[in-house]
Amino acid sequence: MPSTSEYTPVTKKSIYSWVFYKNTHLQLLVVGIILVTVALRLIPLEMSKRIINEAVGMRDLHRLYLYCGIYIVSVVLASVLKMVINLLQNFIGERTLKVLRERLYAHALSLPLNFYRKTSPGQVISYMITEMIPVANFIGSAVAVPAVSLLTFLAYFIYLFYLNPYLSLMAVAIYTAEVFVIPPIQKKFNKANRERIDNTQKVSGIIGEAISGVHEVHSNASIPLERNRYRRALQKLYRSTLVMNAYKYGIKFSNNFFQSLGPFSLLLIGGYLTIKGRFDLGALFAFQAAYDKLYQPWKDLMEFWQIYIDSSVRYKQVMDAFDIEPDHELEAKGRAPYHLDGDISVRHLTYAVGSNIKLLDDVSLEIGEGEHVALVGFSGSGKSTLALCIAQLYKYTGGSVRIGGHEVAELSKQDMAHNLGMVAQHPFIFNGTVWDNLMYSCDALTLQGGGCARNGRPPTLDKVIEVAQQVGLFLDVLSFGLRSTIEPDEYPDLAKAIIHARHEFKAEHGQDLANDIEIYTHDSYVYYGSVAANIITGAPLKDNYNAAPLHEWPLFKDFLVRQELMNPLVELGTTLTRRVVDIFSSIGDVPEELYKESPIRQEDFEQYKSIADHLERGLKPTEEEVALLLKLALNCIPGVHKLGSISDELARMIVEARTPFRKMMQERDPLAFAFLDEDEYMRGRSIQDNIVFGRVKPDSAGAEERINQGIMQLLIMEGVLEQVVEMGFHFEVGSMGDRLSGGQRQKIALARIFLKTPHIVILDEATAALDNASQKRVQSVITRKWKGINTVVAVIHRLDMLVHYDRVAVLKAGKIIEQGTYEQLIDKKGALYELVYGKQ
């Protein structure tokens, strides 16, 4: 049965509660090892005294060997046990840190949305990752370090007292003085350190905020503004760090002073006693060694105290930041999640923010099971806020929202997830594959012991494909699959089918798609491919060839010289440089679109402008400039770069160089490249490239869609369409879906809900990023499959879609001002009529 601490909120637990959290047996083991280690540390001191007094003083070799043997064995054993203690400390700290981060992360995800309006992602990341590391170090050492230090200090002091009581009391007096000097400095250091931590978090927050909003920064050209914000925060961090380090070095100075004062006093007084015959030489040597070692546990205690203060400050700041109660219970405790009816009752609903600013004011709305209701209104009318209150994403401040007779405010998140699904206007896409994102809702339900869709089973591939077609995602997924690369040895049947599809594609679509594709032939220059691609006519298979820039590859440059291509290509690079620099310099502020038609990238323009200026002065290009001119020529794509072109003669020379290059590489490294062959699968190239066997013309509008339609029919005939589509589902979408368009993100979010098929669906402008045809298709599916079965509440931006809804509620200034069927409201010529037709 879980302990009481299991149910204590993570933000309410003290830092020391984690020291023994499932670690008591390990901490006891550490203490036991420490006791043995401390005893072993005293043995070398006693052996040192006996070696000098008994072995050396009495010239006894037997005792010398015996005492030296005992000495080294005890030292080795103590070192081994110390390493074991360190490993156990690290294990305890890291294991507890993992649990602490897991529980803190789960708690953070449960916090109200308002928390994340005030706290940047950078701060959350800093709290959970950076600030927790010292806490873990403290937790791991909380028992071991003080136990080792105190027991070692006590053991050494007892041994010193055994050797000479008076000298041992002197040693304690020095350490007592240190206690009165260092703590005041330590207190100021702690205050400065807290300031430094605060400033570090502010710097992290600014970085996280700017990176999260980098699109806004770019669109407003606000890099100088952000740089000034960052500079001011960095200046505060710089000053607080200097002050903190000043106190830190003051502490270090005091420690060093007292550390030096002890040996001085010992040598003075102990030497005097030895000379007077009141203290033997061996005892003096052992006392000196023990006193030197006495400082280390004392130092460790002082450092541990600092670690404790630092960790406590960090821990308190982190826990205070997250010490907020979730608005709703996460799980349905002690019962199964409710299966709610689809009726929704909103009565006198109020949602206020700030100083009682009412975004919703006395809103009432009754929605029957299976009814489809649209919410419309001008921007800021409260329609999305109402939808979010129904979905439990906002905690309303007054009134009531009931689903299936249950108050939404009292339902758990688990209850809501089992009965309701939502698609936002800007849905979030997680890092991973398309499939991962489509299965997100289903996987969440499955993990909670529920099931996806009405049958409670995970969707099959056929079902996912069907849903992808319904939301218009299928062709996107097919496109992702066609961009995949395969190894023909791993997929021999698929590779064979693709080669066969290649011949069929050329026969059936070669003429029809001539304006979309430039088919590859061995004797023709491919104008939609780069100069380098036209020479190589293949793909590198080894990383060293793939990573090496061709213009820096000695073997390739020697080949160009032998083929008499080096000078023409450098001349081409020179011509392109002069032409582009001349045009762009006359324009001034060059549009981004124009750079797409240029072989010179925007970030490289200044570099090539410098080369053009150099050439204008009649100077010969340097070796580095020649390499850059060659690089420019090799990357030039005449069909894409309208500002670049090559002569027919140069094109002929490049085509003639293909066979010699292939022959050279096959002799030198036959496995380095996969060369184009109409009857062979092209390794390293995408499935689409293998079927098309040419270059898609990017300036041909809709080319890829027309090509993929043709390819799809051939893949169906070859019986491999499903296999390619499955590969498309495993396309990596990137961080926050940054490899997807806005429309593709929204299609994934819609498909996610279609797969989940919840009883109640909230759509918050869920088709805003889709084209007209896609919106109509999605709306048709919603109307055909869900009306009368699933309750739908939709915030609508396209008013021509309202005819598909049973009822329309019009909001203005946080109130519902009219509701009824579309026809009723249009006939009434009220607020909806004004929205649809404007003021007459």
Side-chain angles (χ1 to χ4, degrees):
M1 182 176 177
S3 63
T4 306
S5 64
E6 292 282 353
Y7 298 112
T8 305
V10 65
T11 55
K12 301 296 185 184
K13 291 170 70 71
S14 69
I15 189 171
Y16 256 104
S17 69
W18 293 102
V19 173
F20 296 99
Y21 179 79
K22 297 185 178 180
N23 293 320
T24 305
H25 62 295
L26 291 174
Q27 299 287 23
L28 290 174
L29 176 62
V30 168
V31 172
I33 297 173
I34 288 170
L35 290 171
V36 177
T37 306
V38 169
L40 288 170
R41 284 178 173 177
L42 293 176
I43 294 174
L45 299 174
E46 181 63 20
M47 291 303 102
S48 300
K49 186 186 80 171
R50 294 189 181 191
I51 287 170
I52 292 174
N53 288 341
E54 298 179 22
V56 176
M58 301 179 66
R59 300 180 181 276
D60 188 333
L61 285 176
H62 175 74
R63 290 187 178 183
L64 177 65
Y65 297 149
L66 175 64
Y67 294 153
C68 285
I70 295 172
Y71 184 104
I72 192 64
V73 169
S74 62
V75 168
V76 171
L77 284 176
S79 299
V80 170
L81 291 178
K82 177 61 177 173
M83 184 180 72
V84 172
I85 293 169
N86 289 335
L87 290 173
L88 284 170
Q89 281 181 232
N90 181 67
F91 176 75
I92 292 169
E94 291 301 319
R95 187 174 74 165
T96 308
L97 175 62
K98 181 172 74 73
V99 175
L100 177 55
R101 280 176 172 164
E102 285 176 0
R103 292 187 59 180
L104 190 60
Y105 180 68
H107 175 76
L109 291 180
S110 72
L111 297 182
L113 297 184
N114 285 335
F115 170 80
Y116 291 99
R117 292 194 179 94
K118 302 173 184 175
T119 309
S120 70
Q123 284 178 295
V124 176
I125 294 167
S126 175
Y127 284 141
M128 290 193 183
I129 304 302
T130 309
E131 300 301 330
M132 285 289 104
I133 294 173
V135 174
N137 292 337
F138 167 74
I139 290 170
S141 62
V143 171
V145 172
V148 167
S149 301
L150 287 172
L151 290 174
T152 303
F153 187 88
L154 184 61
Y156 284 155
F157 176 73
I158 291 171
Y159 185 72
L160 290 175
F161 194 86
Y162 155 72
L163 292 174
N164 190 298
Y166 302 109
L167 285 178
S168 65
L169 292 174
M170 179 203 70
V172 170
I174 292 173
Y175 283 109
T176 303
E178 189 173 357
V179 168
F180 285 101
V181 172
I182 292 179
I185 306 175
Q186 185 78 52
K187 189 175 180 181
K188 292 181 179 180
F189 170 82
N190 295 338
K191 182 180 177 182
N193 190 34
R194 282 194 294 271
E195 261 185 57
R196 180 192 64 82
I197 292 171
D198 288 339
N199 290 325
T200 300
Q201 290 170 351
K202 288 175 183 175
V203 169
S204 299
I206 288 173
I207 295 171
E209 188 177 52
I211 290 173
S212 298
V214 71
H215 291 88
E216 198 69 24
V217 172
H218 278 240
S219 64
N220 288 283
S222 58
I223 294 173
L225 177 65
E226 291 300 323
R227 189 167 52 207
N228 286 340
R229 286 180 63 212
Y230 183 67
R231 185 185 291 120
R232 286 194 294 270
L234 206 60
Q235 180 68 15
K236 290 181 180 178
L237 175 61
Y238 163 73
R239 288 174 180 171
S240 60
T241 304
L242 284 181
V243 172
M244 183 203 73
N245 284 331
Y247 289 122
K248 176 183 174 182
Y249 295 133
I251 294 169
K252 186 174 287 189
F253 165 78
S254 301
N255 280 329
N256 291 336
F257 173 76
F258 285 109
Q259 187 180 6
S260 302
L261 181 63
F264 166 77
S265 303
L266 174 64
L267 290 172
L268 179 64
I269 299 171
Y272 174 81
L273 294 175
T274 302
I275 291 171
K276 291 296 183 178
R278 295 163 57 187
F279 203 39
D280 62 67
L281 186 61
L284 177 64
F285 181 83
F287 196 99
Q288 175 69 44
Y291 184 84
D292 288 342
K293 292 181 180 296
L294 189 66
Y295 179 72
Q296 189 58 47
W298 179 258
K299 180 183 176 185
D300 289 343
L301 272 176
M302 299 294 289
E303 289 178 354
F304 173 75
W305 175 252
Q306 176 53 40
I307 290 172
Y308 166 67
I309 296 297
D310 182 53
S311 301
S312 297
V313 170
R314 290 174 185 267
Y315 184 81
K316 186 175 185 306
Q317 284 181 326
V318 171
M319 294 307 159
D320 285 349
F322 291 105
D323 191 15
I324 300 170
E325 286 291 324
D327 285 341
H328 308 280
E329 291 288 341
L330 298 183
E331 298 178 359
K333 293 179 180 177
R335 60 174 174 82
Y338 292 129
H339 291 281
L340 305 174
D341 295 334
D343 57 289
I344 301 171
S345 176
V346 180
R347 295 180 181 177
H348 308 295
L349 183 67
T350 300
Y351 179 70
V353 296
S355 53
N356 202 32
I357 299 171
K358 293 182 179 180
L359 301 184
L360 293 176
D361 185 8
D362 196 27
V363 171
S364 294
L365 179 66
E366 299 293 329
I367 303 172
E369 184 169 5
E371 189 177 9
H372 289 200
V373 174
L375 306 178
V376 298
F378 291 109
S379 178
S381 61
K383 53 188 186 296
S384 291
T385 304
L386 175 56
L388 293 170
C389 285
I390 294 172
Q392 208 196 54
L393 293 179
Y394 286 172
K395 185 178 182 181
Y396 43 90
T397 51
S400 170
V401 179
R402 299 179 76 83
I403 295 178
H406 293 266
E407 188 66 38
V408 166
E410 297 172 3
L411 292 172
S412 69
K413 288 292 182 185
Q414 193 177 24
D415 292 319
M416 295 297 291
H418 274 71
N419 294 278
L420 183 144
M422 180 172 179
V423 181
Q425 181 181 359
H426 303 291
F428 191 88
I429 302 299
F430 293 90
N431 189 19
T433 65
V434 173
W435 184 271
D436 293 336
N437 277 279
L438 291 175
M439 294 295 109
Y440 189 79
S441 295
C442 290
D443 288 346
L445 284 181
T446 303
L447 193 62
Q448 297 173 47
C452 198
R454 289 189 176 84
N455 59 18
R457 293 193 296 270
T460 63
L461 177 61
D462 289 340
K463 178 61 179 177
V464 176
I465 290 174
E466 178 191 336
V467 167
Q469 290 171 330
Q470 289 172 349
V471 301
L473 184 65
F474 181 79
L475 284 179
D476 296 301
V477 174
L478 175 61
S479 177
F480 298 150
L482 291 174
R483 292 182 214 168
S484 304
T485 58
I486 65 167
E487 282 295 324
D489 297 338
E490 295 179 19
Y491 300 90
D493 294 337
L494 179 58
K496 185 178 178 181
I498 289 170
I499 294 169
H500 188 261
R502 174 192 299 167
H503 296 296
E504 292 296 320
F505 183 84
K506 184 176 181 181
E508 292 186 21
H509 303 290
Q511 294 298 323
D512 297 340
L513 297 175
N515 293 327
D516 296 333
I517 306 169
E518 188 177 21
I519 300 292
Y520 170 77
T521 59
H522 186 70
D523 299 325
S524 304
Y525 189 90
V526 180
Y527 286 87
Y528 282 85
S530 67
V531 170
N534 270 278
I535 296 172
I536 293 173
T537 63
L541 300 177
K542 294 185 175 180
D543 290 340
N544 56 323
Y545 292 105
N546 203 27
L550 284 174
H551 69 283
E552 296 178 356
W553 188 17
L555 179 63
F556 185 72
K557 290 198 290 187
D558 290 343
F559 170 78
L560 294 179
V561 172
R562 291 197 305 274
Q563 292 298 124
E564 299 182 353
L565 274 172
M566 176 62 84
N567 290 335
L569 288 177
V570 172
E571 184 60 35
L572 172 62
T574 303
T575 302
L576 293 173
T577 298
R578 284 175 164 157
R579 182 184 303 162
V580 173
V581 169
D582 185 50
I583 294 172
F584 284 6
S585 297
S586 64
I587 293 175
D589 189 10
V590 183
E592 188 175 339
E593 292 74 19
L594 196 54
Y595 272 107
K596 294 177 181 178
E597 298 183 1
S598 162
I600 299 179
R601 298 181 303 176
Q602 187 171 1
E603 58 267 31
D604 297 332
F605 178 73
E606 290 300 323
Q607 196 173 27
Y608 282 97
K609 186 175 183 295
S610 175
I611 295 175
D613 292 341
H614 194 181
L615 296 173
E616 281 299 314
R617 294 199 300 270
L619 301 172
K620 289 185 177 180
T622 64
E623 186 176 341
E624 182 182 355
E625 289 174 337
V626 169
L628 289 172
L629 293 171
L630 176 61
K631 176 185 177 182
L632 184 62
L634 291 172
N635 291 336
C636 179
I637 306 172
V640 175
H641 302 141
K642 306 303 182 184
L643 298 180
S645 61
I646 65 171
S647 65
D648 293 341
E649 176 62 19
L650 180 56
R652 181 191 61 78
M653 294 173 66
I654 290 171
V655 170
E656 289 178 353
R658 290 172 177 172
T659 301
F661 180 79
R662 179 180 295 199
K663 183 178 179 182
M664 177 188 75
M665 292 310 304
Q666 286 175 338
E667 289 175 354
R668 288 178 173 268
D669 195 345
L671 300 178
F673 282 85
F675 293 104
L676 299 182
D677 189 326
E678 197 167 359
D679 297 317
E680 295 290 335
Y681 189 91
M682 298 184 294
R683 296 171 64 193
R685 294 288 185 93
S686 70
I687 293 173
Q688 185 188 64
D689 287 344
N690 268 278
I691 295 175
V692 170
F693 205 66
R695 296 282 179 173
V696 178
K697 299 178 180 180
D699 52 356
S700 178
E704 186 164 351
E705 187 173 343
R706 288 190 293 272
I707 291 166
N708 287 351
Q709 287 283 3
I711 290 175
M712 183 170 64
Q713 297 300 322
L714 292 171
L715 294 178
I716 292 172
M717 293 173 62
E718 296 293 334
V720 294
L721 177 65
E722 189 174 289
Q723 190 174 2
V724 174
V725 170
E726 190 172 0
M727 290 179 177
F729 280 125
H730 290 90
F731 172 75
E732 291 285 342
V733 300
S735 175
M736 295 186 288
D738 61 359
R739 298 177 68 190
L740 303 174
S741 68
Q744 288 170 337
R745 293 190 193 107
Q746 211 154 51
K747 289 173 188 176
I748 287 175
L750 285 163
R752 186 188 292 165
I753 287 296
F754 279 33
L755 290 169
K756 181 182 178 182
T757 60
H759 207 172
I760 301 167
V761 179
I762 307 290
L763 304 175
D764 186 8
E765 300 193 25
T767 59
L770 303 185
D771 57 73
N772 291 343
S774 297
Q775 288 189 59
K776 289 178 180 178
R777 180 172 54 248
V778 170
Q779 185 60 60
S780 175
V781 174
I782 291 172
T783 303
R784 189 179 70 255
K785 296 190 68 175
W786 287 356
K787 187 167 284 191
I789 302 171
N790 301 73
T791 304
V792 175
V793 179
V795 176
I796 298 295
H797 68 289
R798 281 197 51 181
L799 301 181
D800 58 328
M801 293 294 171
L802 294 178
V803 294
H804 299 285
Y805 286 82
D806 300 313
R807 210 146 38 93
V808 179
V810 184
L811 285 90
K812 184 176 182 180
K815 293 177 178 287
I816 293 180
I817 56 174
E818 64 179 23
Q819 58 178 303
T821 67
Y822 177 77
E823 292 77 10
Q824 289 171 344
L825 296 183
I826 291 297
D827 291 343
K828 183 181 176 183
K829 293 191 176 181
L832 180 62
Y833 184 89
E834 182 183 326
L835 279 171
V836 174
Y837 297 107
K839 290 184 178 180
Q840 299 298 313

